[in-house]
Amino acid sequence: MSWNVLLLPLPAGLVSIDDLPADHEPPPVGSRADVHDALRAAVPGIDLTDPAWGVLLGPAWGIELGIGEDDPVESVMLHVRGGTDDVLPVIFRIARALGCRPFDCSTGDLLADGAPAGWHAFQTFRDGAVTPDP
């Protein structure tokens, strides 16, 4: 089970996805080559052996990056697993490197830098879902 965070190029001042006009179409993140270069610069330990699916491992977490087959890249989906808050700065570092904003797919909210509420809510849900009843 993973916490899914979608990275999209959205306006910097946007507070909520609901504030976007109905006809808004975000620009692409960039070419596949540019996305790979930005990811390698932001998180040097990333494995991009599969150009459509990156993997980044931290001390107590892992992130799989769904980059996709399209060129240009329209968005990047982060599948986050683990249990420590030190993954949050990495998510924001990746988002900034790609010129994107992180969108929490479980809450429908944009993530705020330094605010772990969505990550904590996911962990609570996950732990309840995978822990058997006594």
Side-chain angles (χ1 to χ4, degrees):
M1 180 178 298
S2 65
W3 181 45
N4 298 324
V5 176
L6 182 62
L7 302 182
L8 292 167
L10 296 171
L14 189 69
V15 175
S16 168
I17 290 289
D18 295 334
D19 295 336
L20 287 171
D23 61 349
H24 176 77
E25 295 211 21
V29 176
S31 71
R32 179 183 284 223
D34 288 345
V35 166
H36 285 187
D37 289 346
L39 289 171
R40 285 186 185 101
V43 284
I46 192 166
D47 177 354
L48 292 169
T49 304
D50 178 346
W53 194 256
V55 177
L56 182 63
L57 299 176
W61 50 263
I63 302 174
E64 294 175 321
L65 295 90
I67 300 165
E69 300 285 338
D70 295 338
D71 195 354
V73 175
E74 298 294 326
S75 63
V76 175
M77 179 67 80
L78 306 180
H79 304 277
V80 183
R81 293 177 179 82
T84 60
D85 289 352
D86 62 335
V87 72
L88 294 170
V90 176
I91 291 169
F92 281 95
R93 186 167 56 241
I94 292 169
R96 281 190 295 274
L98 297 177
C100 290
R101 303 277 307 279
F103 175 77
D104 182 342
C105 295
S106 60
T107 65
D109 296 328
L110 291 169
L111 295 180
D113 205 351
W119 174 232
H120 290 172
F122 166 75
Q123 290 173 317
T124 299
F125 169 77
R126 176 201 62 205
D127 295 347
V130 298
T131 303
D133 289 334

